[in-house]
Structures are given as C-alpha cells and as structure tokens.
Amino acid sequence: MKIPSRLQPLVDDGLVDEVIRPLMSGKEATVYVVRCGDETRCAKVYKEANHRSFRQAVDYTENRKVKNTRQARAMAKGTRYGKQAQEAAWQSAEVDALYRLAAAGVRVPRPYNFHDGVLLMELVADEHGGAAPRLNDVHFTPEQARAHHATLINEVVRMLCAGVIHGDLSEFNVLLAADGPVIIDLPQAVDAAGNNHAQRMLLRDVGNLRHFF
C-alpha cells in the first residue's frame, strides 16, 4: 500500500520496513499494521486536535507534568505554542503510561518507539496470529465472561498499584489476545495520586466492565 505521509519518516529512518495495511481508525488515532524486520507490529498515528473527536477535557489533563514553567503558562493561556505543547503532552501521556504499565507487568501492548506523533508498539494477536478483536466484537459464554471480568479487574488493580487509572476503559478499549484480554488506548490515562477526579474515573472504569460482562 501507499505509505501514509506520517509514517514515511519512520520508513526513512529504518524503524519501519513496510506498511502492510490500516488496522483501525478511532477517535484519536489511526492504527496501521507494519513490518519491522522479521516482526509484525502496529503504528498508532495520532490525529491532530482539530481532526480528533475525543477532546482533552480538563478532568484528564489536570496536574499532568510539562517540561517547564514556560510550557505550563503557554498551555494555560491557550497560545499557539501552548496548544502545541498540550498536544505533545496528550500524545506522550499514552507513551509514558504504556512504559510504566508494561514495567509493572500490566497486560498492555509493549511500546517500542515514539517518533513525531507516531507510536510504534506490539501488535496484539489472536490465537491464529492475526490482529486480536475488541471485546465488543466477541461473544462469550457465562464462564468466559466471568473469567475475563476477573482478569481485567485484577489488571485495573495492578494499574492502580502502578499509579495509573485508564479513565476511558470499556469493551472498546480491550483486545482479546490468544492468552486473554489486553488493555489499550491510554492517552487519557490519569495519575491516581495527582488527579482530583481519579476516584470517579476508577469507579467508572470498573462500572463499565461490570456492565459489559
């Protein structure tokens, strides 16, 4: 397929050898299946703010760390530089959360690289080696539903122990890999200790899982 312009720099730098196909397009990004050497991975290309339907609500961005006070002032004033800094912080939030959660043993895709608004990470695969489906696309027996619910609640607890709350967890943000559920889509992840809305978001995440299963 024709290489998307946002992925061309990764091809030029040798991080991606081939763009195989689009995988999915969501509210904040488009994901492509790519080949990196002998491995099949995925590249998440973040949409620019004006093309994204998921807004950076202040509830999510409260107390997020920025590089310096100049950035913080610019973001508060809403200047052009501030908007660029806010966009960068929004994208890096998922990258930071993935590295943090993967190190804590949480079932999330393994991140490999982040370059100019493109996140290169593990392709979550099903038992046949293809891209794993989302929970909302799978039918479960009562026993399977109970087992997957227990697994995900355990992962939510593990995330909380790592200081992270997903903030938008539902059947649309979990993939069913060959060895069980994997949590995805974390740009809105919040710091459990530093965000005043963290408890409400945690309870909403848990409620969403309970309602689905």
Side-chain angles (χ1 to χ4, degrees), residues 5 17 29 37 43 47 56 58 87 90 93 114 128 140 149 153:
S5 59
D17 293 304
K47 296 178 180 178
Q56 299 179 25
V58 67
E87 187 68 14
W90 179 257
F114 181 62
H128 305 295
F140 302 109
H149 178 259
I153 292 300

Side-chain angles (χ1 to χ4, degrees), residues 160-182:
L160 185 59
C161 291
V164 178
I165 292 171
H166 189 286
D168 191 36
L169 189 59
S170 73
E171 65 272 23
F172 300 101
N173 291 327
V174 179
L175 300 179
L176 187 59
D179 59 348
V182 176

Side-chain angles (χ1 to χ4, degrees), residues 143-161:
E143 291 76 16
Q144 290 171 330
R146 281 191 288 268
H148 291 324
H149 178 259
T151 296
L152 284 167
I153 292 300
N154 185 65
E155 294 306 301
V156 169
V157 172
R158 198 186 299 269
M159 290 175 67
L160 185 59
C161 291

